[in-house]
Structure formats: structure tokens, C-alpha cells
Amino acid sequence: MTLLCVPLVSKTVEQMVADMAAAKACGADLVEFRLDHLSNFDPRRDLHLLLGDRLLPALVTYRPNWEGGEYEGDDKQRFQALCLAMELGAEYVDVELKVAEDFVRLISEKKPENFKLIISSHNYQSTPSSEELSSLVARIQAAGADIVKIATTAVDIVDVARMFQVIVHCQVPMIGLVMGEKGLISRLLCPKYGGYLTFGTLGAGKESAPGQPTISDLLNVYNIRQIGTDTKVFGIIGKPVGHSKSPILHNAAFKSAGLNAVYVSFLVDVLADFLNAYSSADFAGFSCTIPHKEAAVRCCDEVDPIAKSIGAVNTIVKRPTDGKLIGYNTDYVGAISAIEDGIRGSKGVGKDETVSPLAGKVFVVIGAGGAGKALAYGAKEKGAKVVIANRTYERARELANLIGGHALTLAELENFHPEDGMILANTTSIGMQPNVDETPLRKQALGVYAVVFDAVYTPKVTRLLREAEESGATVVGGLEMFIRQAMGQFELFTNLAAPENLFREIVKKHI
């Protein structure tokens, strides 16, 4: 079982002891005492306080600045402190490969039976090739490691695939982590590949390395205790992707359905490279968001006719029988049905109305990307007169020609008023956190719209929606589209009915 370790990086011993109690309460298996973070550290005084009557097994690290830590003194004093930690019963000590030979010689006659020496190597620039990583593992093993630790940096998410392969083939226990947001999956999926431990922090600002998730998220969002070698991996592909609430939603739904599956975030630069690197059957399905929805059409082996007509895929399923990638689009149903229900609700009309409330209306779509294409297609199918507005006129014209609509620039949209009672749908990321003060259209231009929809759902009420409501429009938030498209994705991923009530409860609680 992969152990969950909470790094303790407080400046005082008293706070570290308090944090150890918090780590135990959270469900950690062990803590890492980062001695180099302590102010005025006195080994004889402080190690007794930290290690005596400790609540959890301890990993002791005294990282020098030349390996990314904060200790600036010489190795002699550092080694003395680490030796004392070992003598006081610390279960693990971490020492760097560069000086491991000296440290191993120092403890050779004193090493307790249950003590484990971690020898580590950190690369803060990149992730080496598979051959170089394997060679590094061999060097660390030869230096006398009980446990091999390699931490590298993700330049691209495909780097993590090399680390997974090295962990799988390592003959001794190994900690293999890839730092940074692009390396997050190395921390979440390590139980699947047999990683010895992963780090989870007590909260934001308490990280000992870039990209560490919280222990709360590891346990409660990703259900890391249930991840094993047979666990199917799903996730959201995007750039940016850190804001997405999809992992909270889908992991809760997987757990509720009793499925051996996990849903993670993939920060992806080049979609084709990502799909090639994670081509095994265990990576079973993906949600696609900005900016990869159009590239997904080209990357799939087969594309659902509606998604092909739209020209955008937001859901990829790996067919179990032959491993082929099948592309779908659940955006258009999610968004259009949410807008229709918003209009019907404002008019007090039932959902069973046969004619769409969009029929005959001018429907303005801001944005010509994947989500814009989905809404334009959906609105056209419902009989609306579609207008595409985009920063780049060429992109707007291209989409307008495709679906039989009109094209405008965003500047022209400011004075666009062919009729009252129009519908406006923003499908761009303008106004998304952290840029919450931005809006795609000035308030003065919103008075001609009866209904305004915003696909952005972080924040829940964007500046566009707030100003539209102040201007008298019925507003429909992106959360409703998010819930409905996610339900469609869950059904494609699992062939099970989506738990709508659970989805809505989670959204209410977490978003």
C-alpha cells in the first residue's frame, strides 16, 4: 500500500508537533520533519521533542540549499543531526545521493534493524529520459538505499509516463514523483504503479515541493486508498485545468456506483502527444476542455456524427474491445437544454413544450472555439438565428459559414441590435477566475438581451451575469451546463445512468 506522508515545514518545533497531531487526525500514515525549515534548530533539544512520544512514524529530512532545501551549513553538523534522529528511533532518514556514500559509511555500524534509509535525487529543471532515470535508480541502489527516491520536474505531462514505468520496474521500494502542476498525476496515481509513498500537505502554503496536493484531497476527492493496479483512470484534459471541479464530481459518482476508477486533472500542452503517451487501456476516458476540443476531433479514431458536425469533441472514450478513441460532444445538449429550461422557467412554461423557446430568436454566441461551436450547432438545430461574435473575425466567419449564420467582431457586437429579446451565450473563458473583473460585453450593450448565458462557472456569478441581471435579462449560469454535460460524460464513461441528485448535491456543496 502506498503510504501517505504529510510534510511538516513549520518554523517552530511546537508548531511541528501540533501539525503532526493534525496530520494524524487527517489520516496520514507518517510525517516528514523538514529540519531545514526550523528556525534556531538545536538537534539535541529539538529532536527529543519531535521524536519522543510521537503520534506517527517519522521521516527526517535536513535538506541542504544545493538540493532545494533551506539548510546552509556544512554536512558534518547535518549528518550528526540525522544520526541522532536515527538513534532516537526515526523510522526513515532521507539523504541526498551526492553525499550518500559518506552518510552510509557513517551509519554502517549503528543502523537499527527497522530503520530505512531513503537516498534521494532531485531535478528542479526537467525529467530525464527513461534510460537516464533507470541509470539513476541503479546508482541510488548501489549507494546503499533501502528506498529509492527520485523527484523530477514536469516540462510536459508526458514526462510522468516515464516515471511510472521506472517505478513499475524498480526492484526495491521507490518513491517517484514529478514536481509541478503538470506532474500532479504522479502524486495521485502512484498507488497504481506501486510507489512507496506520496506527499499530501495540511493545506495551501504548507508544501515542501511544487505541486503537492492536500492530504484531504488525496483521501476525500481522489479516494487514494482505493486506487490499485487495476484502477481505471479518467480525467479532464485542458490548459488551464486547475480550476476544474470535474474531479470532485466524477470521483464522488464513481465511488457512489462502486466503480474501481479515479478521475484526475491533466494539464496538457499537445493533445496528440498526451494520448500517445497514455495509450494503455487503463486510461479509459477523458473530458476535453479549452483549448483541446477541436484538436480532439482530429485525434480520435472515430467521431460521433453530431460531434463531427459541431467540429468539437468534449468527451473521449477508449473502446475496450480494440482501444480505439471515440469522440463525443455532450456540451451542446447540456448548454442548450439549460438555456431552454431557463427561458421556460422565467415564463412559467413547462418542459414538455414541443417547440423550443429558441426557435426564431436571434442567438448570439461569443467565441468560436469548441464550446462556441457546440452552442451554435445546438441553437441552429432548435431553429434559432445564430450570430457568431469573436475577437478574430475570420474565426467567427468560419463558424458562421459552417452552420449558416452571421459573423461579427466583438467590437461590432457592442452596437448590434437587430431586434429586442435576443439571447446571448458567452463560451469564452473571459471572466473566469482569477480574472473575475473581465467581461466580454459592456453593461450598456446588455439591455437588448432577454436571456444571457455564461459557460464560465468559476465564479458562479460572473460579471457578465451580474450586469445582465441588473439590465433586466434572465440569466443562466455555467453550472447548469457543467452539471448536464458531466452527466452525459459519466454515462458515456460507465454505461450507467448518471446520479443527477448526487451531482447537484456536490455542486451545491463544493462550487
Side-chain angles (χ1 to χ4, degrees):
M1 184 183 75
T2 297
L3 301 175
L4 301 187
C5 179
V6 171
L8 304 182
V9 293
S10 303
K11 296 295 180 190
T12 68
V13 169
E14 292 75 20
Q15 188 58 53
M16 273 197 183
V17 171
D19 286 347
M20 175 165 43
K24 183 176 174 63
C26 284
D29 298 308
L30 71 158
V31 291
E32 178 188 32
F33 291 120
R34 283 294 298 266
L35 304 182
D36 51 303
H37 283 256
L38 288 169
S39 300
N40 306 312
F41 174 55
D42 179 325
R44 297 225 161 260
R45 178 195 66 203
D46 295 341
L47 284 171
H48 279 89
L49 291 170
L50 291 171
L51 295 170
D53 299 324
R54 63 186 175 282
L55 299 172
L56 287 169
L59 158 59
V60 178
T61 302
Y62 202 0
R63 189 79 70 219
N65 54 4
W66 48 261
E67 188 89 358
E70 298 194 3
Y71 176 71
E72 296 179 345
D74 63 34
D75 282 339
K76 184 180 178 183
Q77 282 182 301
R78 197 164 68 91
F79 284 1
Q80 286 173 346
L82 292 173
C83 282
L84 179 58
M86 181 184 74
E87 290 162 14
L88 290 172
E91 285 80 6
Y92 308 89
V93 161
D94 178 328
V95 70
E96 304 73 30
L97 175 61
K98 187 176 173 183
V99 295
E101 193 178 319
D102 295 337
F103 188 74
V104 167
R105 195 181 305 119
L106 190 64
I107 67 167
S108 60
E109 303 298 323
K110 313 173 191 172
K111 197 174 170 187
E113 192 177 336
N114 293 325
F115 170 81
K116 302 286 185 192
L117 177 63
I118 299 171
I119 296 180
S120 60
S121 170
H122 298 77
N123 184 327
Y124 292 94
Q125 281 73 48
S126 63
T127 298
S129 68
S130 298
E131 293 75 17
E132 289 170 307
L133 286 172
S134 297
S135 172
L136 185 56
V137 168
R139 284 171 54 209
I140 293 173
Q141 279 185 253
D146 297 307
I147 300 167
V148 170
K149 180 187 175 191
I150 299 176
T152 63
T153 299
V155 176
D156 191 291
I157 195 168
V158 302
D159 297 342
V160 185
R162 299 198 294 279
M163 185 65 81
F164 285 152
Q165 288 308 307
V166 170
I167 296 171
V168 166
H169 293 109
C170 189
Q171 300 302 305
V172 297
M174 180 176 172
I175 303 163
L177 301 169
V178 186
M179 296 179 284
E181 190 183 352
K182 290 175 183 174
L184 176 63
I185 59 169
S186 72
R187 302 179 181 280
L188 306 179
L189 301 180
C190 55
K192 182 172 175 61
Y193 297 94
Y196 187 79
L197 66 76
T198 191
F199 293 95
T201 71
L202 287 176
K206 297 193 173 185
E207 302 88 356
S208 62
Q212 289 174 344
T214 64
I215 186 165
S216 173
D217 281 352
L218 286 173
L219 289 168
N220 303 319
V221 174
Y222 299 102
N223 305 309
I224 195 166
R225 296 287 194 205
Q226 277 66 57
I227 297 175
T229 54
D230 297 329
T231 300
K232 294 291 184 188
V233 181
F234 297 84
I236 180 163
I237 298 167
K239 186 182 180 182
V241 78
H243 67 281
S244 176
K245 305 298 183 186
S246 293
I248 297 172
L249 211 58
H250 284 285
N251 282 313
F254 289 161
K255 186 177 181 180
S256 170
L259 299 172
N260 183 11
V262 64
Y263 187 103
V264 298
S265 296
F266 299 111
L267 178 58
V268 171
D269 293 314
V270 181
L271 181 60
D273 292 349
F274 168 81
L275 293 171
N276 186 53
Y278 298 94
S279 59
S280 81
D282 281 352
F283 286 80
F286 310 102
S287 310
C288 282
T289 189
I290 296 169
H292 298 302
K293 294 181 182 185
E294 293 159 281
V297 177
R298 298 187 295 274
C299 290
C300 287
D301 298 300
E302 296 175 20
V303 178
D304 176 75
I306 291 173
K308 190 175 279 187
S309 298
I310 292 168
V313 158
N314 81 322
T315 312
I316 300 173
V317 176
K318 195 170 287 178
R319 193 159 55 200
T321 51
D322 57 10
K324 289 197 170 181
L325 300 175
I326 316 301
Y328 301 90
N329 193 302
T330 65
D331 278 338
Y332 83 102
V333 174
I336 295 297
S337 66
I339 295 168
E340 286 180 324
D341 288 350
I343 295 170
R344 288 167 179 147
S346 70
K347 291 181 176 178
V349 179
K351 288 186 183 182
D352 55 355
E353 186 187 36
T354 52
V355 179
S356 169
L358 305 185
K361 293 278 198 290
V362 173
F363 191 105
V364 179
V365 178
I366 299 178
K373 287 179 173 179
L375 265 86
Y377 173 88
K380 190 72 178 177
E381 287 288 295
K382 297 290 185 176
K385 296 176 282 188
V386 178
V387 177
I388 311 298
N390 197 58
R391 277 181 179 152
T392 313
Y393 177 73
E394 287 72 22
R395 290 266 288 165
R397 188 182 59 195
E398 191 181 312
L399 177 53
N401 289 343
L402 196 69
I403 55 107
H406 297 282
L408 298 170
T409 64
L410 278 184
E412 289 170 330
L413 185 61
E414 294 284 343
N415 301 306
F416 181 69
H417 183 189
E419 61 184 62
D420 288 335
M422 298 189 295
I423 299 162
L424 180 71
N426 173 46
T427 68
T428 73
S429 59
I430 298 170
M432 183 189 288
Q433 286 175 347
N435 305 310
V436 294
D437 294 327
E438 294 181 1
T439 183
L441 198 60
R442 291 181 308 119
K443 186 176 181 180
Q444 293 90 318
L446 294 174
V448 298
Y449 295 97
V451 179
V452 175
F453 165 81
D454 197 340
V456 172
Y457 66 86
T458 53
K460 226 183 295 193
V461 179
T462 59
R463 179 182 165 188
L464 174 66
L465 291 182
R466 186 176 69 249
E467 292 181 345
E469 194 163 38
E470 289 166 359
S471 302
T474 296
V475 297
V476 180
L479 266 186
E480 194 57 38
M481 172 188 173
F482 171 66
I483 291 168
R484 295 179 189 211
Q485 63 80 29
M487 286 169 59
Q489 290 185 333
F490 178 86
E491 291 174 3
L492 288 168
F493 291 154
T494 66
N495 292 315
L496 298 172
E500 182 175 356
N501 291 340
L502 176 64
F503 273 31
R504 293 190 180 281
E505 279 171 32
I506 292 162
V507 165
K508 195 173 179 182
K509 184 178 177 183
H510 292 281
I511 305 177

